[in-house]
């Protein structure tokens, strides 16, 4: 009996060691390969960078630490229930999540890293807090993106044609029907997470929303700086609404492909700005530059910390 128990423990430890090896070494190598493919096939071959003024690019790069810092501070603020960690440690955690996100859809890699870093007995609460963090970041995106959508509608653009609207309505009806059929289970699930929602008082929620709007403002300014560095010659109001529109599309459409994030930025930016300029190559360049700054650079930096924040496997 002892021999069987020892064998089972040894086998389990072997799988744990393999998983740790894959997380610490296999994952970073995979991310690097995917980054190389993205840069080779999606950016460098299709765009020229000679239009961009270095001063505007430098300003956008300087804002990157502030962007990441706000995200890290917000997560640290919302997870004080688990353990009070140093800001630098949380920043490294965020970077590691960015790296893993490059090979996973829907931001699941970031979720695995963040929740996996929380003690097992606190993970249910961590999942709820992560959901609240993402919803709070969606609020400025939906509000300001809605302004951009109204602007497009007033310009006579069919954001949803009749065919697409029909499928949207079918989807909504299906969701309502599914919710009705599973209302008991959904009610229990929401009740379980509601206790975590109310653990934040009103002033804490104000702080969380303020951090969300500040972060949204930072990466909006980054986008505007890059566009002005390309001298696209559009009014500030148009550029700003275009940025709001890009982030709205990026948020509401899931990222399921290897070039998904870059593709969404490119297509949404071209769709909006094609109403105001014919020089769409500059729009594509601007979208790719912001993608490089806010997605690729943090992902490369995060490779150094992936192995430190592997999920607690043992």
């Amino acid at each position: 009996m002892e021999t069987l128990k020892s064998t089972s423990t040894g086998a389990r430890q072997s799988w744990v060691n393999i998983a740790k090896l894959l997380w610490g070494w296999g994952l970073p190598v995979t991310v690097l390969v995917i980054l190389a493919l993205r840069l080779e096939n999606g950016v460098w071959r299709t765009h020229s960078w000679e239009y961009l003024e270095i001063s505007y690019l430098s300003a956008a790069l300087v804002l990157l630490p502030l962007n990441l810092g706000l995200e890290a501070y917000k997560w640290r603020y919302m997870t004080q229930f688990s353990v009070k960690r140093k800001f630098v440690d949380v920043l490294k955690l965020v970077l590691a999540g960015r790296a893993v996100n490059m090979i996973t859809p829907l931001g699941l890699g970031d979720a695995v890293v963040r929740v996996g870093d929380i003690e097992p007995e606190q993970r249910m609460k961590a999942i709820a807090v992560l959901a609240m963090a993402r919803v709070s970041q969606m609020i400025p995106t939906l509000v300001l993106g809605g302004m951009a959508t109204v602007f497009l509608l007033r310009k006579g653009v069919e954001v949803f044609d009749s065919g697409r609207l029909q499928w949207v309505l079918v989807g909504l009806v299906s969701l309502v029907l599914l919710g009705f059929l599973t209302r008991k289970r959904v009610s229990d699930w929401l009740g379980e997470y509601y206790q975590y929602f109310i653990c934040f008082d009103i002033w804490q929620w104000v702080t969380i929303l303020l951090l969300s709007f500040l972060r949204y403002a930072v990466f909006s300014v980054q986008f505007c700086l890059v566009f002005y560095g390309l001298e696209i010659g559009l009014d500030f109001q148009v550029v700003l609404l275009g940025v709001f529109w890009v982030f709205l599309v990026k948020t509401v459409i899931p990222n399921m492909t290897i070039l998904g994030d870059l593709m969404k930025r490119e297509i949404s930016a071209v769709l909006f700005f094609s109403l105001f300029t014919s020089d769409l190559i500059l729009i594509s360049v601007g979208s790719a530059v912001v993608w490089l700054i806010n997605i690729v650079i943090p992902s490369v930096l995060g490779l150094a910390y992936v192995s430190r924040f592997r999920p607690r496997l043992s």
Side-chain angles (χ1 to χ4, degrees):
M1 191 70 177
E2 288 294 329
T3 302
L4 289 175
K5 184 176 180 181
S6 176
T7 302
S8 176
T9 302
R12 180 179 180 276
Q13 189 59 43
S14 297
W15 282 111
V16 168
N17 290 335
I18 291 173
K20 289 180 177 179
L21 183 64
L22 289 174
W23 183 273
W25 293 96
L27 187 59
V29 171
T30 303
V31 172
L32 281 176
V33 170
I34 289 176
L35 282 173
L37 288 173
R38 288 191 175 197
L39 292 175
E40 177 66 16
N41 297 325
V43 181
W44 298 117
R45 285 186 176 180
T46 56
H47 299 315
S48 169
W49 310 96
E50 61 189 22
Y51 307 101
L52 187 60
E53 288 190 14
I54 192 65
S55 59
Y56 286 94
L57 176 61
S58 300
L61 282 169
V62 166
L63 288 176
L64 176 59
L66 180 58
N67 185 351
L68 295 171
L70 285 170
E71 184 178 0
Y73 181 82
K74 178 180 170 182
W75 182 246
R76 179 174 179 264
Y77 180 80
M78 296 185 71
T79 56
Q80 294 181 87
F81 63 85
S82 175
V83 59
K84 292 187 177 180
R85 290 168 292 179
K86 295 180 180 178
F87 172 78
V88 174
D89 291 335
V90 181
L91 181 59
K92 292 176 181 178
L93 177 71
V94 169
L95 289 171
R98 292 292 189 91
V100 183
N101 260 357
M102 294 296 288
I103 60 172
T104 58
L106 306 174
L108 293 178
D110 178 67
V112 168
V113 172
R114 294 195 190 197
V115 175
D117 188 58
I118 302 295
E119 294 296 332
E121 61 272 13
Q122 296 281 0
R123 284 182 184 168
M124 186 65 73
K125 187 172 183 178
I127 293 172
V129 170
L130 178 62
M132 288 184 274
R134 291 188 172 182
V135 169
S136 67
Q137 192 61 59
M138 285 180 64
I139 291 175
T141 304
L142 295 176
V143 171
L144 298 173
M147 292 171 52
T149 303
V150 171
F151 179 75
L152 285 177
L153 292 174
R154 293 182 63 182
K155 285 286 184 180
V157 178
E158 289 189 10
V159 179
F160 293 106
D161 58 33
S162 57
R164 291 175 183 171
L165 185 59
Q166 178 182 357
W167 284 110
V168 169
L169 291 175
V170 169
L172 289 175
V173 171
S174 300
L175 285 175
V176 171
L177 180 60
L178 180 63
F180 177 77
L181 295 175
T182 60
R183 59 189 184 279
K184 177 66 168 60
R185 183 172 297 180
V186 170
S187 177
D188 293 341
W189 182 80
L190 290 176
E192 184 177 2
Y193 282 101
Y194 180 72
Q195 62 179 317
Y196 302 129
F197 179 85
I198 61 176
C199 70
F200 296 103
D201 61 37
I202 184 63
W203 292 113
Q204 287 176 314
W205 273 113
V206 169
T207 302
I208 291 168
L209 289 174
L210 179 61
L211 290 170
S212 299
F213 273 93
L214 283 175
R215 182 164 173 256
Y216 187 91
V218 170
F219 50 66
S220 296
V221 171
Q222 285 179 294
F223 224 126
C224 291
L225 284 170
V226 170
F227 275 178
Y228 274 102
L230 291 167
E231 299 181 351
I232 59 177
L234 295 176
D235 293 339
F236 176 74
Q237 177 191 10
V238 172
V239 172
L240 194 60
L241 288 172
V243 171
F244 294 164
W245 166 258
V246 170
F247 286 129
L248 176 65
V249 173
K250 179 180 177 296
T251 299
V252 299
I253 299 179
N255 179 16
M256 298 298 294
T257 66
I258 193 170
L259 287 170
D261 191 80
L262 177 60
M263 179 186 67
K264 288 186 296 182
R265 291 170 186 261
E266 297 270 353
I267 293 176
S268 57
V270 168
L271 173 65
F272 185 94
F273 290 107
S274 62
L275 300 173
F276 308 97
T277 179
S278 59
D279 199 353
L280 298 180
I281 183 63
L282 294 182
I283 303 301
S284 295
V285 169
S287 300
V289 169
V290 176
W291 177 76
L292 285 170
I293 293 173
N294 285 339
I295 303 298
V296 175
I297 292 178
S299 297
V300 172
L301 294 175
L303 289 174
Y305 308 112
V306 167
S307 61
R308 301 185 187 184
F309 295 103
R310 58 177 175 262
R312 303 176 192 275
L313 300 168
S314 58

